[in-house]
Amino acid sequence: MALGVGLGNQLLNAQVINALSNGADPTGQKDNSEILNRVIDSLSLNGGGTILIPTGKYLLNNAVILKSNIHLKGEGFENSHLFRDPKKGNWEKTKAQGLITTDPARNNENIMVSNLSVDADYQKDEENAKGGICLRNCKSSTIKDVRTIHTWHGVAFYDFKGEISNNLIDNVHSIKAQAFTTKNNSGRPRGILTTDPGSKVINSKSTKAGTGFYAYGRNITFENCKAEFWFTDNGYYLIVDNLTVKNCEALGGTSPEKGFGSGFAIGYKKGALIENNLAENCDNYGFRIHVPQSDTRLINNRAVGCGNGFGIENASHPFPEVCSNIYMKGNVALNSGIHGFLFRQMVDSEIIKNRAINGNQRMLTLSTRGAFALKDYLADNTFIDNYCEDNQSKKTQLYGFYDFSVNDIKSSSKKGINNTIIHRSKSGKDVF
């Protein structure tokens, strides 16, 4: 039933269509995708509007294709459930990449999905999977107050063709983004994903995904988000120019032994602010900076029970590629498996007033020496007022600040050059 008329955003707020009034079935027995797509097409022809999904269970045998100025609105993700039955429908044949999605050939704008849940019912590592809510080539669009479960990607914005999308993901919980589109697909399942420039993800959570959060592009922000218990990659894997990550958490496992991957992997781009975040029980790094990431600030972050608390990872980018203009201040690495802080392939950077406490919990070989460890290809960096301590009754961190150029790196080309080091550990030997 149409409750009003108007144009553009006015109509989006004024015209409300109750899905039940158009034949939708809330019992979970009959397909609703055809009915919802007819309502979307009708509203689109008249400028847009809201489709209300009342409390109930709504079977989808095909994708719901949203269009500009359409708001798909439930009565809460505990009440309004859209789901796929793996034994029914067109899911093996459709090219749509999500149960709720858009046509990427169109320029879509002012779309909103809110207050509902989506269950795609894909098992872990299953192939030919679909996402939960995947909105493609959109701008000024929002996914808010939703929950997805058993998907490829849980919630995603991608394929935007313009400069600034202004898309928003807010208060989303993706659970078990765990299936694949094809075998060994690089598009591994991600709980929450955005590649649209100028997009923002806030107040959201990813649980038991392949990768918790993934972003690629430019001018992307994450705030007040949490990744937990991912299983193939990292809590956050972010490859973004002008990236902001604030007040976020990455919990790899219930203990350091049960964690996986890195909490925050920041790589290959320029201009990041990583501030007031927590990585806990991550097997690899708490915060991993991929060469040649540059112009990046890490401020007041904590890594607890991670393999390496903070570190530079060269991966597939060997020297002469380097990270430059890295600024680290006020970060804490506690109970690290190996190093609290590990540096390599870094130039013109400033590392000040960071703390490494009770490192080398794995009690490995001498190659793990150093709560702060300086390895190869380091030049013109400053290390001042950093703090190393082992306050355990049985010490594990025998070395505080250790420069491998002194005794271990034999090649003159790899040794550190013109690094300024002012340091004295509270506990542990210093070699620099």
Side-chain angles (χ1 to χ4, degrees):
M1 179 178 180
L3 301 181
V5 293
L7 294 174
N9 289 329
Q10 281 187 318
L11 185 62
L12 185 61
N13 294 322
Q15 182 163 285
V16 179
I17 303 295
N18 189 314
L20 298 183
S21 299
N22 285 268
D25 171 41
T27 70
Q29 300 301 310
K30 298 179 181 179
D31 173 50
N32 292 278
S33 56
E34 184 176 348
I35 290 169
L36 291 176
N37 283 322
R38 282 205 306 264
V39 175
I40 290 166
D41 290 343
S42 177
L43 281 174
S44 180
L45 289 173
N46 290 281
T50 297
I51 304 172
L52 178 64
I53 309 295
T55 297
K57 296 181 178 180
Y58 297 83
L59 174 64
L60 300 180
N61 285 343
N62 210 332
V64 174
I65 311 296
L66 297 174
K67 296 181 179 180
S68 294
N69 302 314
I70 301 294
H71 181 183
L72 189 67
K73 181 180 181 181
E75 293 186 329
F77 59 71
E78 296 287 353
N79 301 312
S80 301
H81 304 276
L82 286 73
F83 73 99
R84 181 190 77 102
D85 184 335
K87 298 178 181 178
K88 298 179 180 179
N90 190 43
W91 293 107
E92 290 187 2
K93 296 180 180 179
T94 181
K95 293 182 179 180
Q97 295 186 349
L99 271 66
I100 299 174
T101 189
T102 53
D103 181 353
R106 292 193 182 98
N107 294 319
N108 304 289
E109 60 182 315
N110 297 323
I111 291 173
M112 188 171 187
V113 182
S114 70
N115 297 288
L116 52 79
S117 68
V118 176
D119 187 348
D121 201 7
Y122 289 104
Q123 301 306 304
K124 189 174 181 180
D125 298 326
E126 185 175 350
E127 296 177 19
N128 301 313
K130 305 296 181 183
I133 304 170
C134 296
L135 303 188
R136 306 173 65 187
N137 195 15
C138 294
K139 71 176 182 179
S140 301
S141 296
T142 299
I143 303 170
K144 183 175 181 179
D145 300 328
V146 306
R147 180 174 63 197
T148 63
I149 188 168
H150 302 135
T151 63
W152 171 45
H153 300 329
V155 165
F157 276 114
Y158 53 100
D159 287 335
F160 178 61
K161 307 298 193 298
E163 290 298 317
I164 300 294
S165 69
N166 290 317
N167 291 328
L168 174 66
I169 295 172
D170 183 6
N171 194 32
V172 163
H173 190 185
S174 169
I175 305 170
K176 295 185 178 179
Q178 61 185 8
F180 290 77
T181 52
T182 57
K183 187 176 181 180
N184 298 322
N185 184 5
S186 61
R188 63 195 65 184
R190 284 135 180 178
I192 296 174
L193 173 149
T194 180
T195 62
D196 289 349
S199 55
K200 191 171 186 178
V201 183
I202 62 174
N203 308 319
S204 294
K205 185 176 181 180
S206 173
T207 302
K208 296 184 178 179
T211 301
F213 293 81
Y214 177 85
Y216 185 93
R218 62 188 186 278
N219 302 318
I220 296 174
T221 295
F222 293 84
E223 292 184 1
N224 301 312
C225 295
K226 183 176 183 178
E228 58 183 8
F229 313 139
W230 57 91
F231 65 86
T232 66
D233 208 339
N234 307 294
Y236 297 75
Y237 191 17
L238 310 176
I239 308 170
V240 178
D241 282 313
N242 298 320
L243 168 70
T244 299
V245 184
K246 289 185 175 182
N247 304 314
C248 293
E249 297 182 28
L251 177 61
T254 55
S255 67
E257 295 75 23
K258 294 182 179 180
F260 185 87
S262 295
F264 296 82
I266 313 297
Y268 314 121
K269 299 291 185 177
K270 292 185 177 181
L273 172 61
I274 315 300
E275 185 173 19
N276 295 329
N277 303 291
L278 170 65
E280 186 172 6
N281 298 342
C282 305
D283 179 67
N284 196 354
Y285 290 82
F287 294 81
R288 184 175 70 189
I289 308 302
H290 281 282
V291 174
Q293 180 76 29
S294 297
D295 303 335
T296 291
R297 294 176 292 161
L298 289 92
I299 301 172
N300 297 335
N301 303 287
R302 288 172 55 86
V304 180
C306 300
N308 289 297
F310 298 78
I312 308 293
E313 175 61 67
N314 54 7
S316 58
H317 290 260
F319 188 81
E321 289 191 273
V322 294
C323 292
S324 65
N325 194 25
I326 303 294
Y327 178 78
M328 297 179 64
K329 181 180 179 181
N331 302 287
V332 178
L334 176 64
N335 298 336
S336 301
I338 310 175
H339 308 289
F341 295 80
L342 172 63
F343 301 98
R344 55 162 66 91
Q345 288 179 227
M346 183 179 75
V347 302
D348 298 320
S349 295
E350 188 173 7
I351 313 300
I352 62 173
K353 296 185 178 179
N354 303 284
R355 297 165 61 89
I357 303 171
N358 302 342
N360 197 20
Q361 293 294 309
R362 296 178 183 172
M363 296 288 288
L364 300 179
T365 66
L366 286 177
S367 65
T368 64
R369 66 180 68 178
F372 281 77
L374 277 58
K375 288 200 169 180
D376 49 340
Y377 302 113
L378 297 169
D380 300 306
N381 302 296
T382 298
F383 301 88
I384 296 179
D385 291 337
N386 297 293
Y387 180 90
C388 300
E389 181 181 5
D390 190 331
N391 57 30
Q392 306 167 99
S393 58
K394 183 178 180 180
K395 309 297 184 186
T396 57
Q397 192 69 72
L398 300 181
Y399 290 87
F401 196 103
Y402 195 90
D403 183 352
F404 279 73
S405 290
V406 175
N407 297 314
D408 301 87
I409 297 176
K410 305 304 180 183
S411 171
S412 61
S413 64
K414 292 184 178 181
K415 286 180 178 288
I417 302 172
N418 297 329
N419 295 302
T420 299
I421 302 171
I422 301 175
H423 181 88
R424 183 175 181 179
S425 295
K426 184 172 182 178
S427 53
K429 300 177 185 178
D430 292 328
V431 177
F432 58 87

